[in-house]
Structure formats: C-alpha cells, structure tokens
Amino acid sequence: QVQLVESGGGLVQAGGSLRLSCAASGSIFTLNPMGWYRQAPGNRRELVATITSGGSTNYADSVKGRFTISKGNAKNTVYLEMNSLKREDTAVYYCNGVWFSHNYWGQGTQVTVSS
C-alpha cells in the first residue's frame, strides 16, 4: 500500500519561508506526476504545483515566482520551497502522486502565515 507522508509545515510570519517535504513509502513504481495541493477553510482543494518525472513543472498563478517544486534524489520524494509567504497561503497542504489514473494523497500538513 502506498503512503505519502508530508512534513515541514508550521507557523511563519508573512514574508517568511517554509520548506515542505513529501516521501512515498510502499511504492515500487514511479509516481508521475507528483505535486502539492492546498485547501483553506471553506475553500476547495486547489493545485499549487506539480512536477513530472522528467522535471517539467506547473504552478498556480498565485504562487509563481515565490514557490519552487523539486524532486528528491530518492524515488517518489518531492519538495516545495515557499518564499515570500502571504496570509492567503494559509492552508493545509497535501502531497499528491499519480500512478496511471490512481491518485495517492498524504494526510496534509498545516501552513499558517501570520501578519
């Protein structure tokens, strides 16, 4: 069974930075793409960024220029470097990995940006 485990969330002041990490366990195949989504209270889950096994990236307009997604050296690991954080970035951030048409999700990590 595939499990995605996130880490790195927390409380940060506006303008600060955080780095989220995600690693998959129990997987013998390559998840492609992998990415990050977020959900704020009362809102729908939305895409933040994705990265393919070939390194192609895709970002939500709201985070372009501030967030960077990257792959780790270990298989099925992904990071999200978040800079210049804003209050509106406050949300639960979920790691996602796709294998064929099946989506795998982590349990989520809270990111709170204070003013």
Side-chain angles (χ1 to χ4, degrees), residues 63-79:
V63 308
K64 282 180 181 177
R66 301 187 298 121
F67 291 11
T68 303
I69 190 170
S70 61
K71 297 186 297 176
N73 290 329
K75 189 174 72 172
N76 295 333
T77 60
V78 66
Y79 304 100

Side-chain angles (χ1 to χ4, degrees), residues 34-93:
M34 293 191 73
W36 293 92
Y37 291 72
R38 67 186 181 187
Q39 187 168 18
N43 290 357
R44 299 171 65 176
R45 190 172 298 189
E46 63 178 8
L47 178 145
V48 176
T50 60
I51 187 166
T52 69
S53 57
S56 296
T57 58
N58 180 48
Y59 294 93
D61 288 343
S62 59
V63 308
K64 282 180 181 177
R66 301 187 298 121
F67 291 11
T68 303
I69 190 170
S70 61
K71 297 186 297 176
N73 290 329
K75 189 174 72 172
N76 295 333
T77 60
V78 66
Y79 304 100
L80 185 68
E81 187 75 33
M82 304 185 293
N83 298 314
S84 303
L85 282 160
K86 305 175 181 180
R87 286 190 65 185
E88 51 264 43
D89 294 318
T90 295
V92 177
Y93 284 70

Side-chain angles (χ1 to χ4, degrees), residues 7 9 15 17 29-30 38 45 53 61-62 65-66 81 89 99 102-103 105 107 112 114:
S7 61
S17 299
F29 40 80
T30 299
R38 67 186 181 187
R45 190 172 298 189
S53 57
D61 288 343
S62 59
R66 301 187 298 121
E81 187 75 33
D89 294 318
W99 185 67
H102 193 93
N103 276 276
W105 294 94
Q107 80 287 352
T112 302
S114 65

